Amino acid sequence: MKNDSDFIPLWPQPVPGAFQPALHLRLHPGETRRPFVLVVPGGGYSCRVDREEGEEVCDCFLGMGLHTAVLQYRYAPQAHFPEPMRDLARAVRMVRCHADDWRIDPQRIAVCGFSAGGHLCAWGSVRGDTVDSLAGDAADAFSPLPDATVLSYAVVSGLDHPHMGSFQNLLGKEVPTQEELAAMSAERFVTAQTPPAFIWCTAADETVPWQNSAAYANACLAAGVEMSLHIYPNGGHGTHLGQGWPDISSWPALAAHFIKTFRVPDASTTA
């Protein structure tokens, strides 16, 4: 069994480049099974905001009774699509594989992404099973798709109000084609099988417009996917845990409640 604060390499063999992706695992002691949230920092696919959108968020969710981890995924210039997506899918497989060892409720494994990390989570929730995340170990037998998705001022669409810098970095192109941007637009791939989603943003965000969050929320509503959308009136991009904003600071507790209570599909109806 892993200790409460472990860095675990994602891949059994080194990946190209100096940085090696990993999970920073944060578990409660004891034998109680708990929901799990994989926190995915943003950074425009050119860096990762590991402290404010990673470790501090984990601390907050830990305080609400969840097991957590930060995903330290690859980004430009070391890696472009599909490598960040492969890292997320592999991480979800690993968490599922170790659910017993890590005392995780295997039906309540959520991903929580910020900004471009939100795009990674949204895309991974609808298309994560289309990238190669096999590593030749026991985790290969488990699904790479999460059970729930938390999107925090997320980049979602490459077509409607896009944050173009994120897509340029992700695709490694100064001028991505419309076809490439469409393929990266997570809202286009939402179906009735898409995981439930908790979505929040601010109306004042001038970096990643609120329309990104609304696009994913509308797609969930159209597909009959359980969804909770919160658009706060003030506070621009990168408000993290909402310190200093009494309304925005409510989102972690609301998200934790959503992760603990979303409707789990009946196995008899999904088989």
Side-chain angles (χ1 to χ4, degrees), residues 107-132:
Q107 294 183 300
R108 296 193 179 276
I109 296 172
V111 293
C112 173
F114 295 78
S115 193
H119 176 264
L120 180 51
C121 289
W123 198 95
S125 294
V126 297
R127 299 283 284 164
D129 55 354
T130 67
V131 296
D132 179 10

Side-chain angles (χ1 to χ4, degrees), residues 103-179:
R103 295 101 58 200
I104 291 169
D105 181 341
Q107 294 183 300
R108 296 193 179 276
I109 296 172
V111 293
C112 173
F114 295 78
S115 193
H119 176 264
L120 180 51
C121 289
W123 198 95
S125 294
V126 297
R127 299 283 284 164
D129 55 354
T130 67
V131 296
D132 179 10
S133 58
L134 301 179
D137 61 13
D140 290 354
F142 294 83
S143 172
L145 301 176
D147 299 311
T149 310
V150 177
L151 302 181
S152 303
Y153 45 87
V155 177
V156 172
S157 182
L159 301 174
D160 181 20
H161 295 82
H163 181 255
M164 194 54 64
S166 291
F167 293 106
Q168 290 169 329
N169 291 326
L170 175 61
L171 295 167
K173 289 188 174 183
E174 192 66 29
V175 184
T177 67
Q178 287 297 106
E179 292 76 12

Side-chain angles (χ1 to χ4, degrees), residues 181-234:
L181 292 171
M184 293 297 102
S185 297
E187 79 281 4
R188 297 181 64 247
F189 302 98
V190 172
T191 70
Q193 286 70 50
T194 295
F198 180 94
I199 306 161
W200 74 275
C201 64
T202 68
D205 192 336
E206 297 181 357
T207 302
V208 178
W210 61 266
Q211 285 89 343
N212 282 260
S213 295
Y216 199 87
N218 284 334
C220 287
L221 287 172
V225 173
E226 186 176 356
M227 182 278 302
S228 181
L229 172 64
H230 305 260
I231 302 178
Y232 298 101
N234 302 303

Side-chain angles (χ1 to χ4, degrees), residues 46 74 196 216 261:
S46 64
R74 288 171 285 174
Y216 199 87
T261 61

Side-chain angles (χ1 to χ4, degrees), residues 228-258:
S228 181
L229 172 64
H230 305 260
I231 302 178
Y232 298 101
N234 302 303
H237 194 66
T239 48
H240 310 139
L241 292 172
Q243 295 96 329
W245 300 92
D247 54 348
I248 299 174
S249 64
S250 68
W251 82 261
L254 295 172
H257 179 74
F258 186 87

Side-chain angles (χ1 to χ4, degrees), residues 49-114:
V49 187
D50 280 341
R51 184 169 66 85
E52 294 91 342
E53 294 177 353
E55 303 298 340
E56 291 180 1
V57 177
C58 279
D59 287 342
C60 184
F61 281 137
L62 279 167
M64 296 176 182
L66 301 173
H67 292 315
T68 70
V70 177
L71 175 62
Q72 298 187 332
Y73 60 92
R74 288 171 285 174
Y75 52 82
Q78 175 180 344
H80 304 287
F81 178 83
E83 304 310 322
M85 283 67 179
R86 293 183 66 227
D87 289 344
L88 176 63
R90 167 66 178 170
V92 175
R93 287 188 192 273
M94 289 177 63
V95 173
R96 291 201 184 285
C97 181
H98 291 284
D100 287 341
D101 297 339
W102 298 345
R103 295 101 58 200
I104 291 169
D105 181 341
Q107 294 183 300
R108 296 193 179 276
I109 296 172
V111 293
C112 173
F114 295 78

